[in-house]
Amino acid sequence: MNTENTTRAERRQNRKGKRRPVVAIVLATLAIGGIGAAATSAAWTDNVFFSASAQAATFNLVGSLDGSTNWVESDNQSSIALTIPSSTFANMLPGQTRTATVYVKNTGTTNASLIVSTAWASGSTFVDAPTVTASAASSTLTAASGATPQTAITVTVTAPSNWATTNQGKSGSIVVTVAGTATA
């Protein structure tokens, strides 16, 4: 048994001797890898962050018959809220021209580009209707924070000088449209 124990002891010693270099190599590799990882994670880093608020502009046109009070939303053609007094264009005669002034105001936060147009509403009974034009004093309106966010619009109705007698007592309604487009 002694020889067996010695042989076993020798074998263990031999294995330990062989394991030591392997263990040493593994430990060295881990140590070098750890140092490399530590060197990599030691790099300096930094961040900078910014914040900003954003808000959409507003865009809104309102109208008035007098230009100083009673500014009204009149943005539905089927229920127009601003009506030029009927006496303005009543009892027109051949060759006669009459005008009315209305006003448009920009209450939004962006500038507006304007296009003004006119038309006779359906139901007009004129055989040959008078000519209707409308023109704005300015084709642009500054934002409400600007100095002059309103403009005058002149509506002109002219009956032909050779207006036929068949137009006597006839009538019609004029629709003035001010279309605005938001601009920078």
Side-chain angles (χ1 to χ4, degrees):
M1 269 187 136
N2 256 350
T3 55
E4 275 185 38
N5 284 344
T6 307
T7 310
R8 277 189 189 168
E10 286 175 5
R11 278 190 232 156
R12 274 191 217 145
Q13 195 65 20
N14 284 341
R15 275 191 251 153
K16 277 186 185 180
K18 288 181 183 176
R19 278 192 215 159
R20 275 189 194 173
V22 172
V23 170
I25 291 171
V26 170
L27 289 175
T29 303
L30 289 175
I32 291 171
I35 291 169
T40 302
S41 65
W44 291 358
T45 62
D46 195 5
N47 296 309
V48 175
F49 299 96
F50 295 90
S51 174
S53 296
Q55 179 181 4
T58 60
F59 184 68
N60 190 48
L61 299 178
V62 293
S64 173
L65 296 175
D66 65 12
S68 60
T69 59
N70 301 320
W71 292 97
V72 177
E73 282 287 338
S74 185
D75 55 1
N76 186 340
Q77 189 171 350
S78 62
S79 62
I80 297 174
L82 292 164
T83 303
I84 297 169
S86 59
S87 60
T88 306
F89 302 117
N91 299 316
M92 291 199 61
L93 298 170
Q96 195 171 42
T97 297
R98 295 195 192 162
T99 62
T101 303
V102 294
Y103 302 86
V104 173
K105 182 177 183 178
N106 181 1
T107 62
T109 59
T110 188
N111 298 334
S113 173
L114 304 177
I115 297 175
V116 182
S117 61
T118 60
W120 287 99
S122 62
S124 173
T125 60
F126 289 115
V127 176
D128 53 340
T131 303
V132 180
T133 60
S135 60
S138 174
S139 63
T140 59
L141 288 177
T142 58
S145 61
T148 312
Q150 74 183 52
T151 190
I153 297 175
T154 303
V155 180
T156 305
V157 178
T158 304
S161 59
N162 60 349
W163 209 13
T165 57
T166 54
N167 287 294
Q168 292 181 33
K170 303 297 181 184
S171 64
S173 294
I174 302 163
V175 177
V176 178
T177 302
V178 181
T181 302
T183 60

